[in-house]
Amino acid sequence: MTIQRPVPKPPAKRQSFRPSTRGSLSAIVETPAAFTDLAPESPRPAELLMGIRAEDGVTLSALDIACWEMILSWTYDIDPAMEARAYRIPTSALRRFLGEYVKSAEVVASFNKLADVKLTFGSAARLYSGVSMLTTWREAEKDDEFLAWQFPEPIRIIMSDMKSYAHIELAAIVAKKSSKYSTAIYKWLALEAAKRKWIAGGDNRFCVPITPDELADLVDFVRDEKGSYNIGKLSAVVSAHENDYDSVRRFKASGKPIHAKRRGRPVEVYEFTVELQAPSPQHIKPNYRPSNLRELGVGGIDDPRFMVQSDMWVRAQRAFSDANPTYLHANYWKLWLTALSEAVDSKPLTSAWDKRMYRGASLLDQIETEGADKAAWGLIVEEVSSPDLIDFLRADVSRGTKVIGLAECDRRERVGWKADKKRAAINSYYDRHRSSSIPEEYQTEATVVYKPEEANAFDPVTYFDFEPAPEPVAMSFDTCSEICLRFKPVHIDFLEAKAFSLIKSGETGGRKVTVVSTYHDPDTAGTDTWEQEIDVDFEEWCQLLTNLQPHLDGPEVYQ
């Protein structure tokens, strides 16, 4: 008897990777005014970022180029696979996307012009020429008019399968600029910037040199019959690029000509300096629903002037986890409250408060001009790149807890809640438990109180020349073998989830100490202890203690 074996199915064809858009145009088609706040970005293949030229001497204006880029972005947003036969967009939406002062007639004229332009693009491996930009037509319905189009096959292929790509910022593309050639320079630099990653506290600058001939080919600069071009005008385009694209968030770029050291000092090369910027919060997914944020206690309400979206702190934790792994979303929120109280009260915590953009009076100015959300993100980026207030709060746990607690009291008072008792309790706790392990740069000069009546008092130690007994050395983290913690009366299940799990995570390397936790179970009315050996350094212990602070009943004891 023959056994019929099932024929194995061929493996499923793996879908090629397609980069996603950042911010959906189709989501704001009914409210195009949100275009600037959304700051959408769309991916482009390398073939359409550099070396693209219009044939037959056709000149494309800045509006023509912006219209083309918006059409590409709209198409990729709704159909990344580029499988549909035709696409369309409301004329009114495209007009508002292209700028506040653009007229509908200008948009339609640019759209129709694209149908008559043929392009040359690609690389030495595969060069396309004579490719139409679009096949266009218009559709009118009862409520609106639509602009419709189809793409030729070469553009459809390279847009659906990007081997090398970079995201371009559409708000920067449609902004007014002094030269249409600035857009070509920007797209080339965007491709160069995409090859590198911003590193907090690192050197995020790099230089890209390019010869005048290479740049003229790159931007399709106008030439005469002999192939010559005006080097002075090309240099003017390079010099103006920084101002034309100062709204770009991914990087900042400036260019300058480098002259040869010979007679006539001709331009030998153009040098572009590019500085990468920190990621923007709207392009970082928090992976939390608003209801989840409320359940986790992320963020809180505040004065409307200082109100920041709660998911901002989760985005910060995700964006800077590599640069600042010990900082969680709650820490970033407390950092913001601390900086805000420092600025409102005009009481500096560190000497750098008047030298930074997002501290002191400058922070209030930034809140006024760009809003609390952007100011909060600017503070976080500034501190992650070059810590100052973060180091201040980490330097001493007791003092940091006091400063953060008082900042929380300020927030409560701003929203109309009472905080007098909480403020008094925080001050009292700090006065009784201030730590002596403060780095020298954060120590304040002690006040010396002089008492005249004690100047000539009898001192038996001095009189009889006795050797004074050595004062007992206060036990600290560096010298103790045990750290005793007392927790507030709560259920053991809550402690297991919120406190004990944090203590168990202390295995990052440092010195080994035993944490003895004493807790009181309200159900059994009994007191019990739990011991756990951890291996952490002082900074990590301070962070762990800060996270445990809401659950502790009194200060820690070193033994």
Side-chain angles (χ1 to χ4, degrees):
M1 177 179 178
T2 24
I3 299 176
Q4 185 71 29
R5 298 183 180 275
V7 179
K9 295 182 179 179
K13 186 178 180 181
R14 184 178 179 181
Q15 183 179 0
S16 58
F17 168 77
R18 294 190 181 98
S20 61
T21 57
R22 299 170 180 168
S24 173
L25 289 174
S26 57
I28 59 170
V29 66
E30 300 297 334
T31 56
F35 180 76
T36 303
D37 293 333
L38 181 65
E41 297 183 15
S42 181
R44 291 289 181 277
E47 293 88 344
L48 296 181
L49 288 174
M50 53 187 299
I52 181 170
R53 297 189 300 276
E55 297 179 356
D56 302 325
V58 176
T59 302
L60 294 175
S61 67
L63 180 59
D64 298 335
I65 296 172
C67 184
W68 161 251
E69 295 295 348
M70 291 301 302
I71 288 172
L72 278 175
S73 302
W74 176 272
T75 304
Y76 192 83
D77 182 27
I78 62 178
D79 182 23
M82 303 289 284
E83 294 176 341
R85 296 187 59 185
Y87 308 90
R88 69 177 191 172
I89 185 174
T91 306
S92 57
L94 181 58
R95 177 184 62 79
R96 284 177 286 183
F97 284 149
L98 289 174
E100 183 179 359
Y101 303 105
V102 178
K103 299 178 181 179
S104 296
E106 295 174 329
V107 173
V108 173
S110 287
F111 181 74
N112 292 332
K113 181 179 177 180
L114 298 179
D116 300 327
V117 179
K118 295 185 181 298
L119 299 176
T120 297
F121 59 88
S123 61
R126 177 178 290 183
L127 183 66
Y128 295 99
S129 61
V131 180
S132 298
M133 296 183 78
L134 296 171
T135 300
T136 65
W137 65 94
R138 295 160 68 183
E139 299 176 6
E141 294 185 359
K142 183 178 180 180
D143 298 330
D144 205 348
E145 182 186 64
F146 294 85
L147 301 176
W149 65 89
Q150 288 178 327
F151 283 112
E153 190 68 8
I155 293 179
R156 192 194 66 78
I157 290 174
I158 63 173
M159 282 294 295
S160 62
D161 188 15
M162 303 185 191
K163 306 297 183 184
S164 176
Y165 69 94
H167 283 81
I168 60 171
E169 300 179 25
L170 300 180
I173 291 286
V174 302
K176 294 189 72 173
K177 50 191 67 70
S178 62
S179 172
K180 64 180 182 180
Y181 299 113
S182 288
T183 299
I185 295 177
Y186 161 67
K187 292 194 289 185
W188 164 58
L189 294 177
L191 185 61
E192 293 293 331
K195 301 173 184 176
R196 298 162 176 85
K197 184 180 180 181
W198 178 82
I199 302 173
D203 184 8
N204 293 298
R205 288 190 178 187
F206 64 93
C207 292
V208 185
I210 187 171
T211 65
D213 290 342
E214 290 173 337
L215 183 61
D217 291 339
L218 180 74
V219 303
D220 193 18
F221 201 73
V222 61
R223 297 173 183 261
D224 59 19
E225 296 81 0
K226 298 180 181 180
S228 302
Y229 54 89
N230 190 319
I231 190 69
K233 290 184 178 180
L234 184 60
S235 297
V237 170
V238 171
S239 300
H241 176 77
E242 182 176 7
N243 291 330
D244 284 346
Y245 276 89
D246 61 348
S247 60
V248 173
R249 301 186 181 187
R250 171 77 174 98
F251 59 87
K252 301 298 179 185
S254 61
K256 62 179 181 180
I258 305 298
H259 296 272
K261 295 180 179 180
R262 62 176 185 266
R263 186 175 179 179
R265 301 186 70 246
V267 177
E268 189 173 40
V269 69
Y270 291 108
E271 186 178 85
F272 287 87
T273 302
V274 182
E275 183 175 3
L276 301 179
Q277 304 294 298
S280 299
Q282 61 265 42
H283 298 148
I284 301 166
K285 294 181 179 179
N287 287 349
Y288 282 97
R289 295 179 180 178
S291 58
N292 298 138
L293 296 176
R294 288 192 294 270
E295 292 172 2
L296 295 173
V298 179
I301 63 172
D302 206 327
D303 185 295
R305 295 174 300 163
F306 309 134
M307 188 72 178
V308 179
Q309 295 183 17
S310 294
D311 62 3
M312 184 73 70
W313 320 120
V314 180
R315 295 175 195 267
Q317 178 182 331
R318 289 176 57 84
F320 306 119
S321 58
D322 293 338
N324 206 6
T326 61
Y327 246 50
L328 305 179
H329 56 75
N331 300 108
Y332 286 111
W333 184 45
K334 293 172 183 176
L335 176 70
W336 165 250
L337 293 180
T338 302
L340 195 57
S341 292
E342 177 193 45
V344 172
D345 298 338
S346 296
K347 294 180 179 179
L349 296 174
T350 71
S351 59
W353 88 299
D354 58 346
K355 302 179 180 66
R356 295 197 165 207
M357 182 177 294
Y358 294 96
R359 294 279 296 282
S362 180
L363 174 61
L364 298 179
D365 292 340
Q366 296 298 326
I367 293 174
E368 187 69 26
T369 55
E370 59 185 23
D373 285 340
K374 292 183 180 178
W377 191 259
L379 169 70
I380 293 171
V381 172
E382 191 175 59
E383 284 292 325
V384 170
S385 302
S386 178
D388 179 67
L389 193 55
I390 287 179
D391 286 347
F392 172 83
L393 296 175
R394 282 174 170 170
D396 176 42
V397 175
S398 298
R399 183 189 57 188
T401 303
K402 175 193 175 184
V403 171
I404 293 171
L406 294 179
E408 168 63 15
C409 291
D410 292 339
R411 181 188 72 88
R412 290 173 178 241
E413 291 173 347
R414 286 195 296 268
V415 297
W417 299 343
K418 293 183 179 180
D420 296 341
K421 292 183 178 179
K422 183 177 180 67
R423 190 183 297 275
I426 291 172
N427 286 322
S428 174
Y429 177 85
Y430 178 68
D431 291 339
R432 289 183 286 111
H433 303 96
R434 58 177 73 189
S435 172
S436 61
S437 56
I438 308 176
E440 293 180 0
E441 62 265 29
Y442 295 119
Q443 287 183 356
T444 57
E445 187 175 346
T447 303
V448 179
V449 181
Y450 178 70
K451 296 182 179 180
E453 66 273 14
E454 295 180 0
N456 298 318
F458 176 73
D459 184 359
V461 174
T462 306
Y463 185 82
F464 293 109
D465 198 22
F466 291 153
E467 286 290 335
E471 295 184 2
V473 179
M475 196 69 71
S476 66
F477 175 83
D478 295 326
T479 57
C480 72
S481 60
E482 288 186 356
I483 305 175
C484 298
L485 303 176
R486 177 175 292 275
F487 288 91
K488 297 176 182 177
V490 292
H491 293 284
I492 184 61
D493 294 339
F494 181 85
L495 282 178
E496 283 281 0
K498 298 293 184 181
F500 294 164
S501 60
L502 283 175
I503 297 175
K504 291 177 182 178
S505 66
E507 298 291 340
T508 54
R511 64 181 305 268
K512 292 185 178 181
V513 293
T514 301
V515 178
V516 181
S517 303
T518 303
Y519 58 92
H520 178 79
D521 194 331
D523 289 341
T524 61
T527 302
D528 203 349
T529 59
W530 176 75
E531 296 184 4
Q532 173 71 32
E533 186 178 67
I534 62 175
D535 187 5
V536 295
D537 58 25
F538 178 67
E539 182 179 347
E540 292 159 344
W541 168 246
C542 290
Q543 180 63 42
L544 179 61
L545 194 61
T546 301
N547 295 332
L548 292 173
Q549 203 66 43
H551 316 299
L552 293 179
D553 183 16
E556 71 279 11
V557 178
Y558 299 97
Q559 296 180 350

